Amino acid sequence: MGEKTEAQKRAQKNYMEKFVRVEIRMEPQKREVVQSHAQKQGESLNGFINRAIDEQLKRDVSSSEGE
C-alpha cells in the first residue's frame, strides 16, 4: 500500500476530529487477555471496550429505573 494522498489525509483528520481520546491503565497481562477476547469476538480492542461500556451503561440505567 502506498503513501496516503492529501485527500485521504484530510478525510482521516476530519473523521478523527469527531472523537476524543481516553486513556485507561491496565496491567500488560490484562490487556493481552482483553485483546485476545476482543479478537475472538471479531472486534478491535477499542470496539470491545466501547461495547462493554455501552452494555454496562444500559444495565445501570435499567436497574436505576426499577428503583
Side-chain angles (χ1 to χ4, degrees), residues 23-28 30:
E23 291 187 38
I24 62 169
R25 297 184 194 283
M26 65 178 71
E27 294 176 347
K30 185 173 183 178

Side-chain angles (χ1 to χ4, degrees), residues 20-38:
V20 295
R21 185 175 188 94
V22 177
E23 291 187 38
I24 62 169
R25 297 184 194 283
M26 65 178 71
E27 294 176 347
Q29 300 88 343
K30 185 173 183 178
R31 182 182 187 271
E32 289 174 16
V33 170
V34 174
Q35 189 163 27
S36 175
H37 180 78

Side-chain angles (χ1 to χ4, degrees), residues 11-56:
Q12 183 177 17
K13 182 179 182 231
N14 288 337
Y15 175 77
M16 292 305 291
E17 287 175 352
K18 297 177 187 178
F19 301 97
V20 295
R21 185 175 188 94
V22 177
E23 291 187 38
I24 62 169
R25 297 184 194 283
M26 65 178 71
E27 294 176 347
Q29 300 88 343
K30 185 173 183 178
R31 182 182 187 271
E32 289 174 16
V33 170
V34 174
Q35 189 163 27
S36 175
H37 180 78
Q39 288 174 341
K40 290 175 186 172
Q41 302 303 309
E43 296 178 289
S44 66
L45 180 60
N46 192 68
F48 171 75
I49 291 170
N50 275 300
R51 182 171 62 84
I53 291 168
D54 290 344
E55 290 179 8
Q56 185 62 50

